[in-house]
Amino acid sequence: MGRRVWTGSAEVEAADAVFALMRRLIDGFRANPPVTPLVVLQATEEDATGALDRRVAQVVEFVRRSQQPRGLIAKRLDGGGGPDTYSSAVDMVRQLCEHSWDNARQSQYKPFAFPRSRLLRAIEQAAPEVGAEVTTVWTAAERRERLMRRLAELRWRPGGGPDGGEGRRRAPALAEAVGAVVNPSGFVGAMFIACLSVLLGEGGWRTAVWGGALALTVFGLVHLLARSAPPLLWLRRASRWFATTTFLAPLSDRPAAADWSRWRPAKSWETIRGRAFAVAEQVVAAQAGDVTARQLHLELRVLALLEDLRENFRPRALDLRRRKRTVPPVVYLPRATEDDGGLLLLRTLSNVRSRRSEVDPLLVLAAVPAAERLRPPGAVDPEPGAGPDRPEGEDEEGAFGADARYQRWVTSLNAGQSPGRAAALPWILHIPMPADELRHRRSAQHSTDRIRRTPAWLLWSRPCLVVVLALGLAAGFLGNRYLATRYCEGRLLGSNTDSGLHDGECIGVATGDVRLAEGDTLNLSGAGKGVTFDAVERAIRAENAAIGPHDAHVTIVYAGPVTAAEQSGTRKGLEEITGVYLYQHYANVSTDQPTKIKVLLANAGENMLHVLPMARHIADLARRDRSVVGVVGMGRDTTETEQAARILKGAGLPVVSTTNSGSHLARRLSNWFGLAATDEEEANALRVVARQLAAREPGARAVVLSRSVGSEKDLYTTEQARVGKRMLADAGFAPAPSRTYRLSAEGEPELTTPISDICGSRPVPRALYFAGRVEDVPNLMSQLGSTPGCSGRGITVFTGDDLTKSNYEEGENLRIPDEVTLYHVALAPMDLAATTGFYVDAHRVLMDLLPAGSRPTALADPARPWTDALFSSGQSVLSYSATAVLYRAARNGDVPQTAAETWADLRWHPNPNLPVGTVGFAGSRPYADQRGHGYEIVRVSYDDGEVRSVNVCGRPAGSEAPLTPPPGPKGADPHTVCRLRP
């Protein structure tokens, strides 16, 4: 039950039955038969004083007052304002179509729309163009053209003036356009608010304000243009009805309804214009007094009214309007007479319903004076004594039962519409009101409840839309915030999923507007001072942008540590990316190769701790972009490197590694191509030096000190400890118990305890293999120089290739005790290849990246440019060589190849004249060790207050000659003969 909203009494006994009937017809609208009558109340006796007729009108008013608070859409008509019956009836139809109904804004659903009636109203307003005063001046074709021109001015919609002579003012038109745009119950309004919500959730209030203003302007202009010149007018339901209704077929030059087609606008327009002209002529004739034209015009207006109401209750509509509107619209006529047009309107409603045989929802309750006759003039009068228009054969017992009359009316409705009973008005349910019941007063109380809205009301309702939009806005904010915290370029629409945020770092591939090194002011070392990481990244993006959409190109992805908590931690990424850029510039600009190189940067985070998500992003990108031919980098060996390489393998991508010395990777992966000597090769090289040391002091002990694997996932140190222990034993040292150290919460090495144990042993080891990282070496040297047992004692420290990343010659904090000698391996034997021209050209290219007005820094030793700190670490040289190897395999002549073809060609052709020598994998087999890696042994010592490094021996890339102790075999390469420091 709904909320009770009204309680009262009509104080007339005759009102009880009518109240009950109307309640049944209204509340049972969905359960009753799908027909609504025109209920007419009429006193059974005439009263000279008019008291009975006033009581009947009082009953109608009582029903109206009881139903109005319920939210029922209703309309009270007090007669038309025309000078004659016809004009008054037409005026009442216009009131129903053009004026607001009661409760239109508080009903179950939005107000009714009357597009068919509005179309006819526009034709009525344009009808004077074909009026009688111009028939003698203009031909039919000219009058028709005048009519069409006037309708075009009216935009086929009724004008704002009372007679349609004046168009709407611009201000109301603009106000209507703005109202249509911001109305959430309409499609345009819903779209506007949805777009505004998206902009507010995605870009903040400033973007929402500007975007909302732009959207409001665009939608408003579209609305105004659609009103001024509707481009799809023939597709409107009202136009389709007007062109296809058989009601107007006799007036058409071409009466076939098939003249309208949604696919043939010209044909449809011709039909609409022809019928509009015919209707306009009938309107003019009706205004001139033609009885037939008046009947046609009135019936056409009533037909449009009923068709509009049927459309407002259409069952299969997207907005579920039929489920939302559970009660019919009601029209009250407290006094319907011949003079005020009420009876004519009732007759026309009945006639149109009978003629069309279509069901509409309109329910009418009218009071007719006892002296009036319902039947039209000329109909056969009923027999004397039967009462006013009383049906023949009606028994006295049921004559005044309103409910019984309704049941009988429904049963006889079909027969009542037959042509043989043309004098009857079958859709009128006549309820005679006995005089004694009208005179008898009593205080019977009646009540009504609020009409409840169905759950379907939630669809498209304004409160629901407000809630949905609020939820959508909140979801947009939360979604935008979630995407912003998940992706580097995350937003509600158009998120860039090639990179994501992990532990505050942007991990993945930098595509779109994603910048990994934006704002990174870390400079290159030595002669590269002033060239920042940000500048190198921008240079790569500029090279990519210079490649046209139709230019042949291949895409190479650099994968490495591009970001870090501190800018100093991105040194390795900066130097490797610099090498990649140098070869990109060499191929695209210096030599202008037909196949260009596009470089994408992929970040695995500080120390490559997020290599797995990075690999997934690269693989996803490669599946979408077939120009991706492989990956360069992956220069740090972690516990997840092998799994990451397998992910890339699944995407069909080869990996050309730069500094990764993992021995197991080439053995387990067919897509792994490493430029760096493996941990085992490094240990074998250092063993030549270690044997000479062990021979000087037989029985000397050696120890391995390694960093334990923790959250840094560093597999390099584990592999170094394994090969270092075996190398020392093979060299002839007596093994001492291995020691490990770990990192503190701040990332500092905790070496005090393991060094104390080493230095406190007897005898103290003469050799130490350090399986750690370069950042831990200064602490190690400090501990060896200050711990009793080691301080002042000659100790040789061996370590792997990680020390090449250090710039201790440029003032980094490294103090080697005088008695300590450090040997490490360098992966880039640049002095053995001695390609001086490469370094000079590379320095010139990098100087072009300096900010405007900056002074370039010269190379420290132009004769030996590889010794400059810009290149001495070997990171840039190795990444340059890796990019060259991958690019040369990625093209067949001037034609770019696929990733699979590139993968295959990597094992076919050597690559000479690179800064590290000849790099190639020709003859190497999958899942086996790869040979021909270049390397050098470097001795670091502290002499005369300076850190000095000397290249002891090595071999260039492409050579497989093993290192030998002096004097070496006859004719041996002097670079492969290792000599100890005297």
Side-chain angles (χ1 to χ4, degrees):
M1 293 293 292
R3 176 173 54 90
R4 181 157 297 177
V5 294
W6 181 88
T7 301
S9 172
E11 300 181 353
V12 177
E13 183 180 356
D16 296 343
V18 177
F19 178 86
L21 174 63
M22 292 299 294
R23 182 166 59 181
R24 172 182 176 178
L25 294 175
I26 294 172
D27 294 346
F29 176 65
R30 299 178 66 178
N32 289 336
V35 288
T36 52
L38 309 175
V39 182
V40 175
L41 309 181
Q42 189 177 31
T44 58
E45 297 179 8
E46 295 187 27
D47 183 6
T49 63
L52 295 179
D53 290 337
R54 287 193 295 272
R55 294 289 176 88
V56 174
Q58 182 181 345
V59 172
V60 174
E61 182 63 21
F62 163 71
V63 174
R64 190 190 71 83
R65 285 188 291 106
S66 65
Q67 296 293 332
Q68 185 177 13
R70 307 184 63 197
L72 179 71
I73 296 185
K75 184 73 174 177
R76 172 175 173 169
L77 298 177
D78 293 317
D84 52 41
T85 301
Y86 155 76
S87 300
S88 297
V90 171
D91 181 68
M92 284 191 285
V93 175
R94 289 174 179 168
Q95 290 183 47
L96 294 175
C97 302
E98 301 172 13
H99 298 142
S100 298
W101 291 52
D102 297 338
N103 297 316
R105 299 290 178 180
Q106 290 82 32
S107 62
Q108 291 178 300
Y109 191 39
K110 63 183 181 181
F112 293 143
F114 298 93
R116 294 161 183 81
S117 300
R118 286 171 56 83
L119 176 60
L120 293 181
R121 180 59 174 157
I123 296 175
E124 290 174 356
Q125 293 178 352
E129 299 296 333
V130 297
E133 66 275 8
V134 298
T135 56
T136 59
V137 180
W138 305 95
T139 65
E142 291 172 332
R143 288 185 291 120
R144 173 171 169 167
E145 185 60 30
R146 286 168 55 89
L147 176 70
M148 294 303 112
R149 194 160 48 243
R150 178 56 180 154
L151 284 172
E153 293 175 358
L154 290 172
R155 303 178 294 273
W156 288 79
R157 293 179 173 87
D163 57 357
E166 298 180 0
R168 293 188 177 184
R169 293 176 298 171
R170 182 58 56 188
L174 289 175
E176 182 179 350
V178 174
V181 171
V182 300
N183 181 11
S185 62
F187 175 76
V188 174
M191 287 292 296
F192 168 73
I193 295 177
C195 293
L196 189 65
S197 302
V198 169
L199 291 174
L200 188 59
E202 178 180 345
W205 69 270
R206 294 181 183 273
T207 304
V209 169
W210 287 105
L214 179 61
L216 183 64
T217 303
V218 171
F219 282 143
L221 288 176
V222 170
H223 181 77
L224 286 175
L225 290 175
R227 289 189 56 82
S228 61
L232 303 178
L233 178 63
W234 90 96
L235 292 178
R236 293 165 51 198
R237 288 185 180 273
S239 300
R240 179 179 181 180
W241 166 82
F242 186 71
T244 58
T245 178
T246 57
F247 194 93
L248 294 176
L251 298 179
S252 303
D253 295 334
R254 300 171 61 188
D259 281 352
W260 182 92
S261 172
R262 63 169 51 92
W263 312 116
R264 302 181 66 179
K267 183 177 181 180
S268 302
W269 266 111
E270 183 59 29
T271 302
I272 293 172
R273 291 190 183 101
R275 291 196 169 192
F277 181 67
V279 170
E281 288 184 317
Q282 293 297 318
V283 170
V284 171
Q287 292 173 350
D290 188 308
V291 176
T292 304
R294 286 188 170 189
Q295 180 182 359
L296 172 65
H297 179 216
L298 179 58
E299 289 187 355
L300 180 60
R301 288 306 304 263
V302 169
L303 174 63
L305 168 66
L306 298 182
E307 288 289 338
D308 284 332
L309 290 176
R310 289 180 65 243
E311 178 68 19
N312 284 283
F313 281 79
R314 185 161 54 95
R316 288 178 294 276
L318 184 62
D319 58 357
L320 301 181
R321 61 187 66 172
R322 184 63 181 86
R323 291 184 174 272
K324 295 177 182 179
R325 293 177 171 137
T326 62
V327 293
V330 181
V331 172
Y332 300 103
L333 284 82
R335 180 178 176 83
T337 65
E338 288 287 354
D339 295 335
D340 65 8
L343 286 179
L344 179 58
L345 177 61
L346 291 173
R347 295 190 194 107
T348 306
L349 286 169
S350 180
N351 291 339
V352 170
R353 283 182 172 182
S354 297
R355 179 174 177 179
R356 303 299 297 166
S357 296
E358 292 175 342
V359 176
D360 62 80
L362 181 64
L363 176 62
V364 177
L365 178 62
V368 177
E372 297 287 352
R373 301 179 70 256
L374 287 177
R375 289 181 173 85
V380 179
D381 290 335
E383 295 183 0
D389 291 335
R390 177 178 172 181
E392 298 180 6
E394 185 179 77
D395 59 87
E396 292 294 335
E397 182 180 355
F400 310 115
D403 189 72
R405 282 181 171 273
Y406 170 69
Q407 295 293 345
R408 185 168 181 173
W409 173 82
V410 172
T411 304
S412 60
L413 182 60
N414 289 337
Q417 297 184 89
S418 63
R421 302 190 64 179
L425 299 174
W427 285 91
I428 291 180
L429 174 58
H430 181 252
I431 307 294
M433 308 293 289
D436 56 345
E437 291 187 8
L438 290 173
R439 294 188 180 96
H440 183 234
R441 291 180 174 272
R442 64 174 182 175
S443 300
Q445 295 292 308
H446 299 279
S447 61
T448 54
D449 300 328
R450 176 74 181 181
I451 297 174
R452 301 180 63 178
R453 288 171 171 168
T454 63
W457 167 80
L458 294 175
L459 181 64
W460 305 115
S461 66
R462 293 184 181 181
C464 181
L465 282 176
V466 170
V467 173
V468 170
L469 290 175
L471 292 176
L473 186 61
F477 273 117
L478 295 177
N480 190 71
R481 184 175 181 180
Y482 168 74
L483 293 173
T485 57
R486 182 177 181 182
Y487 299 110
C488 307
E489 191 180 15
R491 48 179 177 259
L492 200 58
L493 294 177
S495 290
N496 187 340
T497 59
D498 291 332
S499 56
L501 294 173
H502 297 265
D503 299 333
E505 291 185 274
C506 184
I507 305 301
V509 188
T511 59
D513 295 330
V514 175
R515 292 280 308 278
L516 296 175
E518 185 174 11
D520 192 335
T521 58
L522 181 67
N523 285 256
L524 289 170
S525 303
K529 290 291 186 183
V531 180
T532 64
F533 204 157
D534 181 88
V536 176
E537 185 186 33
R538 283 189 282 107
I540 290 177
R541 292 173 65 89
E543 292 283 354
N544 294 342
I547 301 174
H550 302 294
D551 293 343
H553 72 280
V554 294
T555 301
I556 293 175
V557 180
Y558 166 78
V562 184
T563 60
E566 298 180 1
Q567 289 187 355
S568 59
T570 63
R571 170 71 60 185
K572 176 179 176 63
L574 168 59
E575 294 186 351
E576 288 193 330
I577 289 174
T578 299
V580 175
Y581 164 69
L582 287 173
Y583 192 82
Q584 182 190 28
H585 185 273
Y586 169 79
N588 293 358
V589 179
S590 299
T591 60
D592 192 19
Q593 297 293 327
T595 300
K596 306 299 182 182
I597 300 178
K598 181 179 180 181
V599 174
L600 297 178
L601 305 185
N603 182 33
E606 186 172 10
N607 295 326
M608 297 192 72
L609 296 181
H610 301 289
V611 67
L612 287 182
M614 178 200 70
R616 295 188 186 100
H617 284 297
I618 297 175
D620 292 340
L621 175 64
R623 294 184 181 99
R624 301 194 314 267
D625 186 356
R626 292 301 178 183
S627 70
V628 177
V629 295
V631 176
V632 167
M634 300 285 285
R636 184 181 177 96
D637 192 16
T638 70
T639 56
E640 296 175 343
T641 300
E642 181 179 343
Q643 184 179 352
R646 291 188 185 280
I647 293 174
L648 298 175
K649 178 182 177 182
L653 297 178
V655 178
V656 182
S657 176
T658 51
T659 60
N660 196 319
S661 59
S663 304
H664 62 289
L665 295 172
R667 297 169 185 165
R668 298 179 182 176
L669 299 165
S670 61
N671 67 323
W672 186 268
F673 301 88
L675 269 64
T678 64
D679 296 325
E680 294 178 354
E681 289 178 306
E682 294 177 11
N684 292 336
L686 291 173
R687 184 171 53 205
V688 177
V689 177
R691 278 179 176 171
Q692 298 177 61
L693 287 173
R696 291 182 180 180
E697 187 177 344
R701 302 180 70 192
V703 65
V704 175
L705 176 62
S706 63
R707 180 198 282 189
S708 60
V709 177
S711 60
E712 67 277 3
K713 306 175 184 178
D714 191 5
L715 189 60
Y716 167 82
T717 57
T718 301
E719 286 292 296
Q720 283 286 314
R722 179 180 64 83
V723 299
K725 184 176 182 179
R726 187 175 63 184
M727 182 274 289
L728 293 175
D730 293 345
F733 284 103
S738 299
R739 305 292 178 178
T740 61
Y741 70 94
R742 62 182 182 179
L743 301 180
S744 66
E746 292 75 24
E748 296 296 327
E750 297 180 346
L751 289 167
T752 302
T753 299
I755 293 297
S756 297
D757 293 340
I758 292 173
C759 296
S761 61
R762 293 293 179 267
V764 176
R766 299 301 300 269
L768 184 149
Y769 196 98
F770 182 66
R773 288 290 182 177
V774 60
E775 56 267 23
D776 303 339
V777 172
N779 195 308
L780 170 67
M781 294 301 166
S782 176
Q783 292 286 343
L784 291 177
S786 60
T787 303
C790 293
S791 177
R793 185 176 180 84
I795 298 177
T796 301
V797 178
F798 298 97
T799 187
D801 58 83
D802 201 55
L803 197 67
T804 56
K805 295 187 298 184
S806 175
N807 286 323
Y808 42 78
E809 292 184 343
E810 289 206 338
E812 283 194 6
N813 186 20
L814 178 63
R815 173 66 170 85
I816 300 179
D818 295 337
E819 298 80 9
V820 175
T821 302
L822 175 64
Y823 287 91
H824 71 87
V825 177
L827 299 177
M830 294 173 284
D831 58 328
L832 303 184
T835 52
T836 306
F838 160 77
Y839 300 98
V840 174
D841 292 341
H843 178 258
R844 175 181 51 79
V845 170
L846 292 176
M847 291 303 98
D848 292 338
L849 304 183
L850 290 172
S854 298
R855 187 174 182 178
T857 304
L859 292 168
D861 185 359
R864 295 172 54 85
W866 54 83
T867 61
D868 193 280
L870 174 60
F871 306 107
S872 61
S873 69
Q875 307 278 341
S876 299
V877 170
L878 284 170
S879 59
Y880 177 93
S881 302
T883 307
V885 170
L886 186 58
Y887 171 71
R888 292 174 184 178
R891 61 175 186 162
N892 183 6
D894 294 336
V895 179
Q897 300 196 119
T898 64
E901 294 169 329
T902 302
W903 185 345
D905 276 8
L906 280 171
R907 298 190 185 276
W908 281 95
H909 306 292
N911 298 273
N913 302 321
L914 292 177
V916 295
T918 299
V919 177
F921 303 95
S924 64
R925 296 178 301 166
Y927 308 107
D929 290 330
Q930 296 167 350
R931 300 185 299 272
H933 298 128
Y935 53 80
E936 272 191 309
I937 295 178
V938 181
R939 181 176 61 238
V940 183
S941 59
Y942 196 78
D943 296 329
D944 300 329
E946 292 183 359
V947 176
R948 298 182 182 274
S949 62
V950 178
N951 296 335
V952 178
C953 60
R955 71 184 189 192
S959 172
E960 297 184 14
L963 300 184
T964 60
K970 183 179 180 180
D973 187 338
H975 293 296
T976 66
V977 180
C978 284
R979 301 181 181 277
L980 278 175
R981 185 178 184 181

